[in-house]
Amino acid sequence: MDLGLKGKAARITGAGSQIGFGKAIALTLAKDGCDIIVNDIDLKGAQQTAAEVEALGRKAMAIKADVTKSAEVQDMVKAVLERFGKIDILVNNAGACTPPKPFLEMTEAEWDKDININLRGVLNCSKAVLPHMIERKYGKIVSITSGAGINGGFNTAVYAAAKAGVIAFTMAIAKEVAPSGINANCVSPGPAITGFARNAPPGMLERFAKTVSIGRLTEPQDIANTVAFLASDVSADIVGQTIIVTGNVSA
């Protein structure tokens, strides 16, 4: 199926990691014909992802910006518009989780880290691109959330709260901007083979895999495929939804 993405400009946050969702999303959208803006606080990683996009024959731009800082995000959007003239697609992928621990043992600094990157980053990036999208009466915003934001997460209370906030924000903002031709939706991955897996205790991933209906953990490509669908006009009737991609019969 042709998703009709050729010539679209897509900005993906947190796409510098070479084993995360962001890179897989960037390359998948590039293969479908998008030009890609790769954003990360790790400029070297962003440049590596951008180089792979260019190797696929698409235009790419690597840009360093901290999504938790609104001024940096606004400057980034300005730079992107100066080069590409438009932003058709925003993928809010940047995220992180402080080391799991009981809520009562968390510091306020850890609260701030979980909330700022997972929720405030989505708010900053969405606010920066929406005026442009509303003016053009077109846009797709896809935010990566988490099963923790739906079901809670053991020893990740603030991270779960932030991801739940992304879901609620998406539902609310979708109602505001849908009349302007903008779709906002979420993708909720299950336990996945990404950078987060590096911090998992020995044997945990194997135990998780045994609980998944299809018998394996979610892979970055699974998420990238879903994002590409939501970023396309094929999904024009999907508004304010959270698509659960876990390999399970139920979330």
Side-chain angles (χ1 to χ4, degrees):
M1 178 185 293
D2 182 2
L3 295 178
L5 290 170
K6 188 173 182 179
K8 304 291 187 184
R11 181 165 72 86
I12 301 104
T13 68
S17 169
Q18 299 305 296
I19 57 173
F21 296 140
K23 179 178 179 179
I25 293 167
L27 296 182
T28 298
L29 291 179
K31 289 174 184 176
D32 282 325
C34 289
D35 296 323
I36 305 295
I37 300 93
V38 184
N39 164 227
D40 205 288
I41 57 173
D42 173 13
L43 180 58
K44 184 177 180 180
Q47 290 171 333
Q48 184 172 342
T49 300
E52 293 191 36
V53 168
E54 290 174 338
L56 294 170
R58 303 309 309 176
K59 297 176 183 177
M61 178 181 186
I63 188 164
K64 180 179 180 179
D66 184 343
V67 298
T68 71
K69 298 177 180 178
S70 60
E72 291 191 21
V73 173
Q74 291 287 347
D75 287 344
M76 170 172 54
V77 169
K78 181 180 179 180
V80 171
L81 292 178
E82 286 176 352
R83 176 168 175 183
F84 290 91
K86 63 177 183 175
I87 298 174
D88 298 295
I89 300 161
L90 166 65
V91 182
N92 289 312
N93 170 72
C97 182
T98 56
K101 65 173 67 173
F103 172 68
L104 293 179
E105 295 179 12
M106 293 185 70
T107 66
E108 290 191 25
E110 289 172 324
W111 296 3
D112 290 342
K113 182 175 181 180
D114 281 346
I115 292 170
N116 284 343
I117 190 168
N118 294 297
L119 179 55
R120 184 176 291 276
V122 172
L123 303 181
N124 284 338
C125 291
S126 299
K127 185 176 182 179
V129 302
L130 275 172
H132 167 72
M133 289 181 171
I134 291 171
E135 182 180 3
R136 295 180 64 226
K137 296 189 179 301
Y138 183 86
K140 307 287 184 178
I141 298 176
V142 184
S143 299
I144 306 301
T145 181
S146 167
I150 299 172
N151 300 315
F154 183 68
N155 283 346
T156 58
V158 179
Y159 171 80
K163 287 298 190 180
V166 172
I167 294 171
F169 168 73
T170 299
M171 289 190 291
I173 199 67
K175 294 177 181 179
E176 295 183 29
V177 301
S180 297
I182 300 162
N183 294 69
N185 292 288
C186 291
V187 177
S188 177
I193 306 299
T194 66
F196 284 131
R198 293 176 175 175
N199 298 320
M204 179 175 285
L205 295 181
E206 289 76 10
R207 291 194 296 273
F208 271 138
K210 291 179 181 179
T211 69
V212 179
S213 301
I214 65 172
R216 66 170 176 82
L217 296 178
T218 299
E219 297 177 357
Q221 192 61 52
D222 297 316
I223 303 306
N225 293 340
T226 307
V227 170
F229 170 68
L230 291 175
S232 75
D233 291 334
V234 174
S235 62
D237 200 40
I238 300 178
V239 180
Q241 301 300 307
T242 297
I243 309 300
I244 298 169
V245 184
T246 64
N248 268 327
V249 174
S250 64

XYZ file of all heavy atoms in Angstrom, residues 79-116:
297
model
N 14.723 26.719 12.424
C 15.785 26.253 11.525
C 15.250 25.253 10.499
O 15.628 25.279 9.326
C 16.911 25.625 12.342
N 14.357 24.388 10.948
C 13.777 23.392 10.039
C 12.935 24.082 8.964
O 13.024 23.748 7.772
C 12.926 22.378 10.828
C 12.150 21.472 9.857
C 13.808 21.527 11.738
N 12.134 25.044 9.360
C 11.279 25.735 8.398
C 12.107 26.544 7.406
O 11.734 26.665 6.227
C 10.279 26.631 9.128
C 9.207 25.897 9.939
C 8.312 26.891 10.664
C 8.377 24.975 9.043
N 13.227 27.080 7.861
C 14.091 27.823 6.950
C 14.667 26.915 5.874
O 14.844 27.339 4.724
C 15.222 28.493 7.732
C 14.767 29.703 8.551
C 15.879 30.296 9.386
O 16.970 29.680 9.450
O 15.671 31.376 9.981
N 14.937 25.666 6.237
C 15.529 24.750 5.258
C 14.487 24.015 4.422
O 14.615 23.926 3.205
C 16.425 23.729 5.959
C 16.981 22.699 4.984
C 18.069 21.848 5.549
N 18.462 20.819 4.595
C 19.359 19.882 4.837
N 19.992 19.849 6.003
N 19.655 18.973 3.931
N 13.449 23.500 5.081
C 12.484 22.653 4.381
C 11.198 23.376 4.005
O 10.443 22.900 3.160
C 12.144 21.421 5.235
C 13.265 20.431 5.361
C 14.165 20.520 6.411
C 13.433 19.424 4.434
C 15.203 19.605 6.541
C 14.465 18.507 4.540
C 15.358 18.606 5.595
N 10.933 24.487 4.663
C 9.734 25.243 4.346
C 8.455 24.711 4.954
O 7.402 25.348 4.853
N 8.533 23.557 5.580
C 7.329 22.958 6.158
C 7.708 21.834 7.116
O 8.829 21.308 7.094
C 6.436 22.393 5.056
C 7.100 21.255 4.264
C 6.159 20.677 3.220
C 6.818 19.501 2.482
N 5.865 18.850 1.545
N 6.769 21.508 7.990
C 6.854 20.306 8.819
C 5.496 19.634 8.720
O 4.495 20.152 9.221
C 7.182 20.634 10.291
C 8.546 21.316 10.412
C 7.166 19.344 11.130
C 8.867 21.792 11.824
N 5.442 18.533 8.017
C 4.183 17.811 7.836
C 3.898 16.862 8.993
O 2.746 16.636 9.351
C 4.220 16.993 6.542
C 4.385 17.863 5.307
O 3.468 18.647 5.021
O 5.447 17.763 4.663
N 4.980 16.308 9.543
C 4.844 15.235 10.532
C 5.759 15.526 11.711
O 6.938 15.837 11.527
C 5.229 13.870 9.922
C 4.312 13.538 8.733
C 5.193 12.764 10.971
C 4.888 12.477 7.798
N 5.215 15.418 12.913
C 6.012 15.482 14.134
C 5.856 14.164 14.868
O 4.731 13.746 15.161
C 5.540 16.622 15.041
C 6.075 16.593 16.484
C 7.589 16.787 16.512
C 5.376 17.640 17.339
N 6.968 13.517 15.141
C 6.955 12.304 15.954
C 7.640 12.608 17.274
O 8.857 12.825 17.327
C 7.652 11.122 15.249
C 7.560 9.860 16.121
C 7.027 10.864 13.877
N 6.856 12.663 18.338
C 7.388 12.895 19.683
C 7.863 11.563 20.253
O 7.107 10.826 20.895
C 6.298 13.494 20.577
C 5.966 14.919 20.225
O 6.854 15.746 20.068
N 4.681 15.220 20.089
N 9.120 11.268 20.003
C 9.680 9.981 20.404
C 10.632 10.092 21.593
O 10.808 9.122 22.340
C 10.414 9.351 19.220
C 11.214 8.129 19.630
O 10.667 7.080 19.920
N 12.539 8.274 19.665
N 11.248 11.248 21.800
C 12.242 11.384 22.866
C 11.635 11.014 24.220
O 10.542 11.459 24.565
C 12.761 12.822 22.915
N 12.348 10.193 24.955
C 11.855 9.778 26.270
C 12.962 9.128 27.075
O 14.004 8.750 26.538
N 12.720 9.010 28.362
C 13.691 8.370 29.256
C 12.972 8.031 30.554
O 11.893 8.566 30.844
C 14.878 9.298 29.535
N 13.573 7.140 31.306
C 13.003 6.747 32.592
C 14.131 6.666 33.614
O 15.172 6.059 33.346
C 12.297 5.402 32.484
S 11.498 4.855 34.004
N 13.941 7.291 34.754
C 14.937 7.160 35.815
C 14.948 5.713 36.297
O 13.981 4.976 36.085
C 14.605 8.104 36.981
O 13.278 7.823 37.439
C 14.698 9.558 36.555
N 16.033 5.273 36.930
C 16.099 3.885 37.399
C 14.889 3.538 38.273
O 14.525 4.312 39.165
C 17.398 3.846 38.213
C 18.245 4.904 37.580
C 17.291 5.992 37.196
N 14.235 2.409 38.013
C 13.041 2.040 38.773
C 13.311 1.952 40.271
O 14.317 1.398 40.705
C 12.681 0.662 38.202
C 13.257 0.664 36.830
C 14.543 1.435 36.947
N 12.380 2.509 41.027
C 12.445 2.436 42.485
C 11.075 2.817 43.038
O 10.275 3.459 42.343
C 13.517 3.364 43.035
C 13.263 4.843 42.819
C 14.275 5.733 43.536
C 15.655 5.615 42.965
N 16.586 6.617 43.573
N 10.759 2.444 44.282
C 9.478 2.840 44.865
C 9.325 4.355 44.873
O 10.307 5.091 45.056
C 9.552 2.281 46.292
C 10.506 1.134 46.188
C 11.524 1.556 45.171
N 8.101 4.827 44.702
C 7.827 6.254 44.628
C 8.377 7.007 45.832
O 8.953 8.099 45.688
C 6.315 6.484 44.512
C 5.918 7.923 44.620
C 6.265 8.830 43.628
C 5.206 8.385 45.729
C 5.908 10.168 43.724
C 4.849 9.719 45.834
C 5.198 10.611 44.835
N 8.231 6.456 47.019
C 8.666 7.155 48.225
C 10.183 7.306 48.312
O 10.685 8.094 49.115
C 8.143 6.449 49.477
C 6.621 6.504 49.670
C 6.221 5.756 50.933
C 6.129 7.952 49.723
N 10.897 6.570 47.486
C 12.357 6.682 47.465
C 12.843 7.637 46.377
O 14.039 7.937 46.300
C 12.992 5.307 47.263
C 12.730 4.342 48.415
C 13.351 2.971 48.183
O 14.165 2.844 47.236
O 13.018 2.035 48.931
N 11.932 8.122 45.539
C 12.332 9.015 44.456
C 12.569 10.422 44.975
O 11.882 10.896 45.881
C 11.256 9.049 43.359
C 11.087 7.760 42.597
S 9.909 7.957 41.230
C 10.856 8.998 40.103
N 13.525 11.098 44.373
C 13.790 12.495 44.701
C 12.979 13.389 43.770
O 12.525 12.960 42.696
C 15.278 12.824 44.537
O 15.627 12.716 43.144
C 16.147 11.874 45.360
N 12.834 14.652 44.158
C 12.121 15.583 43.284
C 12.888 15.809 41.986
O 12.283 16.064 40.937
C 11.866 16.902 44.012
C 10.834 16.776 45.119
C 10.392 18.120 45.654
O 10.485 19.129 44.918
O 9.944 18.170 46.809
N 14.194 15.691 42.042
C 14.996 15.822 40.818
C 14.650 14.689 39.850
O 14.599 14.892 38.627
C 16.483 15.808 41.154
N 14.410 13.498 40.382
C 14.020 12.374 39.532
C 12.610 12.572 38.997
O 12.321 12.224 37.834
C 14.140 11.067 40.318
C 15.587 10.671 40.583
C 15.718 9.488 41.531
O 14.911 9.366 42.484
O 16.645 8.676 41.318
N 11.717 13.131 39.827
C 10.386 13.473 39.313
C 10.513 14.395 38.108
O 9.891 14.175 37.072
C 9.561 14.222 40.357
C 9.192 13.514 41.610
C 9.535 12.251 42.003
C 8.399 14.063 42.668
N 9.010 11.986 43.242
C 8.314 13.062 43.675
C 7.783 15.288 42.866
C 7.598 13.288 44.866
C 7.066 15.508 44.038
C 6.977 14.510 45.029
N 11.316 15.436 38.293
C 11.460 16.436 37.233
C 11.992 15.814 35.950
O 11.527 16.145 34.843
C 12.393 17.556 37.687
C 11.775 18.433 38.771
O 10.542 18.402 38.928
O 12.537 19.140 39.460
N 12.951 14.920 36.075
C 13.529 14.304 34.879
C 12.482 13.493 34.124
O 12.346 13.616 32.897
C 14.717 13.409 35.259
C 15.396 12.788 34.036
C 16.640 12.009 34.427
C 17.311 11.410 33.180
N 18.539 10.648 33.528
N 11.719 12.667 34.854
C 10.708 11.840 34.199
C 9.607 12.685 33.561
O 9.156 12.408 32.448
C 10.086 10.866 35.205
C 10.967 9.646 35.473
O 11.907 9.420 34.693
O 10.709 8.929 36.456
N 9.180 13.718 34.266
C 8.095 14.553 33.762
C 8.569 15.438 32.610
O 7.883 15.577 31.589
C 7.504 15.417 34.890
C 6.776 14.525 35.902
C 6.554 16.479 34.331
C 6.363 15.234 37.171
N 9.742 16.016 32.751
C 10.211 16.978 31.744
C 10.437 16.345 30.386
O 9.968 16.858 29.365
C 11.490 17.667 32.222
C 11.208 18.716 33.286
O 10.084 19.151 33.458
N 12.245 19.109 34.009
